[in-house]
Amino acid sequence: MDLGRIATAMVTPFQENGDIDFEAAGKLIEHLLSNGTDSIVVCGTTGESPTLSMDEKLQLIRFTVEKVNKRIPVIAGTGTYNTKETIEMTKKAENLGVDGVMLVAPYYNKPNQRGLYAHFEAVAKETALPIILYNVPGRTGTNIEAATTIALSKIPNIQVVKEASGNLDQMAEILAKTDEDFFVYSGDDALTLPLLAIGGKGVISVASHVVGNEMQAMIRAFKEGRLDEAAKMHQALLPIFKQLFKCPNPVPVKYALGKVGFSVARVRLPLVEMTEEEKRQFDEVWEHVKQSI
């Protein structure tokens, strides 16, 4: 499965009454298509999936598939801490026409490595779709160790891992011990360039909502051997990457989208919007970075 260099983990816009704002979602999809996004992940963490009901997830997946209309791949986040429910959600997403699914490591119940393998294997057996493993220990409390990812890569439809462990050594081991048709993507915008340097494919990004073209330019410079230029672009973008995670994701990126014409700052509890001081700090960094890139 080719996600391209940048897959955007899309936010979910909400109306004032808290319902999904499909009109805003449609406009956002068009914005992403025009601003550096090679594929879209819907109903991921950045889409506030923990607060979306199954019906809402299915509505949003259906809408995104129809709106994108095969212009780029659409990936649905279908993973939960419940294997049976994950299989059910994955099958429903498959029926809606997604190009692949992303499965987060089961959270809260904290399975061991054998349990993680068994969970992903069970889901893979029930779908023909390509699967992205999503390793984010900071959210799940469990790290999918390199050996487990390497073993899972032998299952034909498990084709990608989104590594948000922040551990480049772990990513390097996965790259060294998996086949060339298994891809490692960064789950952290700030590690996009470092991961590319050790053989990774790209990033499943939050920042691409607002600096997608700039990130593509950085990646292009790296791929074309303009390493100093790529490094300078990384350095210029790094303050934005950091600001986008100063508050719980996706609160800052929803605020940042206001800078490019999208009024989508509303989030669902237990998340809350940024304070005025947090906004001021973000604005300072935003203005500085936009002048330097």
Side-chain angles (χ1 to χ4, degrees):
M1 175 172 52
D2 188 359
L3 303 177
R5 296 296 178 185
I6 297 178
T8 298
M10 190 177 78
V11 304
T12 302
F14 296 117
Q15 300 177 39
E16 194 169 349
N17 66 1
D19 292 343
I20 295 174
D21 188 338
F22 287 100
E23 181 180 355
K27 292 177 181 177
L28 179 58
I29 288 167
E30 294 302 325
H31 163 77
L32 295 176
L33 287 166
S34 302
N35 287 275
T37 294
D38 297 316
S39 51
I40 286 175
V41 178
V42 62
C43 297
T45 308
T46 307
E48 294 175 72
S49 57
T51 68
L52 297 175
S53 69
M54 183 176 284
D55 283 346
E56 285 178 320
K57 289 177 184 177
L58 294 173
Q59 290 173 38
L60 190 56
I61 293 166
R62 180 185 294 109
F63 175 85
T64 304
V65 167
E66 292 176 354
K67 183 69 175 174
V68 170
N69 194 24
K70 299 190 181 302
R71 288 177 285 176
I72 60 174
V74 174
I75 311 303
T78 59
T80 73
Y81 51 33
N82 179 327
T83 305
K84 182 178 178 182
E85 184 178 302
T86 300
I87 291 169
E88 179 185 357
M89 186 67 189
T90 299
K91 287 181 174 179
K92 289 181 176 180
E94 185 170 6
N95 289 336
L96 292 174
V98 299
D99 299 287
V101 293
M102 185 170 72
L103 306 180
V104 69
Y107 41 90
Y108 193 68
N109 43 22
K110 298 177 70 172
N112 62 16
Q113 298 303 304
R114 289 189 298 109
L116 288 168
Y117 183 94
H119 169 79
F120 292 121
E121 179 187 42
V123 181
K125 286 179 177 178
E126 297 292 336
T127 182
L129 288 172
I131 289 172
I132 302 170
L133 307 175
Y134 180 17
N135 187 32
V136 57
R139 289 184 179 274
T140 65
T142 302
N143 178 47
I144 308 175
E145 294 175 4
T148 304
T149 298
I150 293 160
L152 286 164
S153 76
K154 307 302 181 187
I155 298 173
N157 56 334
I158 297 180
Q159 299 176 4
V160 176
V161 62
K162 175 185 177 182
E163 261 289 346
S165 64
N167 186 338
L168 282 169
D169 289 348
Q170 177 164 293
M171 298 178 214
E173 183 178 353
I174 293 166
L175 286 162
K177 296 180 180 178
T178 53
D179 293 338
E180 289 184 358
D181 58 356
F182 184 82
F183 300 115
V184 179
Y185 281 76
S186 175
D188 299 299
D189 287 298
L191 290 182
T192 303
L193 189 59
L195 179 60
L196 289 173
I198 62 170
K201 184 67 182 289
V203 60
I204 299 180
S205 175
V206 173
S208 54
H209 282 90
V210 290
V211 287
N213 285 333
E214 292 84 353
M215 293 176 70
Q216 284 285 13
M218 176 185 72
I219 293 170
R220 192 158 51 248
F222 174 81
K223 289 296 178 181
E224 293 174 0
R226 293 177 280 119
L227 303 185
D228 288 347
E229 185 178 342
K232 287 177 182 177
M233 295 175 78
H234 167 80
Q235 292 160 13
L237 288 166
L238 192 58
I240 283 291
F241 296 159
K242 289 185 175 180
Q243 280 295 317
L244 288 173
F245 290 90
K246 275 289 184 76
C247 300
N249 182 47
V251 174
V253 73
K254 282 190 145 184
Y255 172 74
L257 277 163
K259 306 292 186 183
V260 293
F262 291 89
S263 181
V264 294
R266 294 186 191 91
V267 290
R268 283 182 173 176
L269 289 170
L271 298 181
V272 291
E273 293 183 31
M274 294 165 70
T275 66
E276 291 306 311
E277 175 60 19
E278 289 165 343
K279 291 176 183 177
R280 186 193 64 76
Q281 291 175 8
F282 186 93
D283 291 348
E284 283 185 4
V285 172
W286 176 262
E287 292 303 322
H288 175 75
V289 170
K290 293 304 285 185
Q291 291 171 12
S292 63
I293 59 177

